[in-house]
Amino acid sequence: MARSKPSSGSTAASAPAVKLDKKGNPKVGRLKKLGANVRMIKQAYTLTAKNDPKLPWLLLITFVAVFTVVELIGILLSLPLVFLPIALVFAVLATLIVFGRRAQGSAYRQVEGQPGAAAWVLEGMRGDWRVTSGVAGTTQLDAVHRVLGRPGVILVAEGAPSRVRSLLAQEKKKVARVVGDTPIYDILVGDGEGQVPLPRLSAHIMKLPRNLSAAELNSLGRRMSALGGPRMPVPGGPLPGGRQMSISQRQVRRR
């Protein structure tokens, strides 16, 4: 007698259900996340240490100093064993903070002055920022980038001020015809008067007032789609010698 094949329905029912996160993507296990974070930090440390020879000593001094101070407090309170894990935790946190800042500074030093540096910073910002790089530009690689966020529309220009100011004004007029009363901010990246230095660009944008709700931002995004996307290529990962910025260094900078 021939054996009957199990129905596809029973097979599907017996298969374990895949857990999804809020965005509908399969959840990643905690151990996998931990392993990925460790690899990311290790790679970022290797890249940063090449450009920052003082990094190992600064991290060591930070760890020892914080650990010693917290443990001394425990000794004064006659609780040295109780404060031992607390000292360890505080020392690790302080070391990671110092490492993150040194990695961020190293990343900025590598991209500063390179074409597409402002776009690289904008695309690495935390939060709901909708960046369209290269909405206007010149053959000399001057560029204007468009950012949509809770403040409204933010136009960021990088390049020679004598060439890029007119680009910025033209793009602002074009955007104004579409967005109506939505606030429009224009920023020129540079070290001159009235300009925003590249290392402060992200913080400058983050400090802008929140003028739109989430629903208004979505509506703005639909209206802005009428203007289209990038009109010029923007160099990816602007680094001297044409090297690409590691994703791990970008992630550490964002933290």
Side-chain angles (χ1 to χ4, degrees):
M1 181 180 293
R3 295 182 179 178
S4 60
K5 295 182 179 180
S7 62
S8 58
S10 61
T11 303
S14 60
V18 178
K19 295 183 178 180
L20 304 177
D21 58 16
K22 294 181 179 179
K23 296 183 179 180
N25 300 320
K27 283 188 176 181
V28 181
R30 292 183 180 179
L31 291 178
K32 289 185 178 180
K33 285 184 179 180
L34 179 61
N37 288 335
V38 170
R39 288 191 297 271
M40 180 266 292
I41 293 175
K42 182 179 179 181
Q43 185 182 8
Y45 174 84
T46 302
L47 292 170
T48 306
K50 289 180 180 179
N51 302 297
D52 188 358
K54 297 180 181 180
L55 180 65
W57 293 108
L58 286 173
L59 297 183
L60 179 61
I61 292 171
T62 301
F63 182 90
V64 173
V66 174
F67 183 89
T68 302
V69 170
V70 177
E71 187 60 18
L72 283 175
I73 295 174
I75 292 174
L76 291 175
L77 297 176
S78 300
L79 297 170
L81 295 180
V82 174
F83 271 73
L84 190 61
I86 299 176
L88 182 62
V89 170
F90 273 86
V92 171
L93 288 176
T95 303
L96 287 175
I97 291 173
V98 172
F99 168 62
R101 291 182 177 178
R102 300 293 291 195
Q104 177 180 354
S106 175
Y108 277 123
R109 285 192 296 272
Q110 291 182 66
V111 302
E112 197 164 13
Q114 300 298 316
W120 180 82
V121 173
L122 295 172
E123 291 169 358
M125 291 193 306
R126 296 171 294 178
D128 187 9
W129 301 98
R130 308 173 190 188
V131 181
T132 305
S133 303
V135 294
T138 67
T139 54
Q140 291 85 4
L141 295 181
D142 307 307
V144 176
H145 314 295
R146 187 173 66 227
V147 182
L148 304 184
R150 298 291 289 274
V153 181
I154 307 160
L155 299 175
V156 180
E158 60 176 324
S162 58
R163 296 191 299 262
V164 82
R165 289 187 190 277
S166 60
L167 279 178
L168 193 58
Q170 292 172 11
E171 190 63 26
K172 191 171 183 179
K173 289 181 180 179
K174 189 183 302 181
V175 170
R177 291 196 293 265
V178 177
V179 302
D181 296 331
T182 301
I184 304 175
Y185 300 88
D186 56 277
I187 298 172
L188 182 57
V189 177
D191 297 321
E193 186 177 355
Q195 301 176 351
V196 178
L198 183 69
R200 299 180 184 175
L201 177 59
S202 177
H204 180 84
I205 293 177
M206 294 285 188
K207 291 179 181 179
L208 293 176
R210 300 300 190 254
N211 302 308
L212 305 179
S213 65
E216 290 172 332
L217 177 58
N218 291 332
S219 176
L220 175 64
R222 289 191 292 268
R223 280 182 286 161
M224 292 298 296
S225 62
L227 294 179
R231 295 177 178 83
M232 62 166 290
V234 176
L239 286 178
R243 292 177 287 120
Q244 295 288 323
M245 172 60 69
S246 166
I247 186 64
S248 62
Q249 223 168 344
R250 293 174 65 111
Q251 290 173 336
V252 168
R253 184 180 61 81
R254 292 176 67 178
R255 288 166 181 255

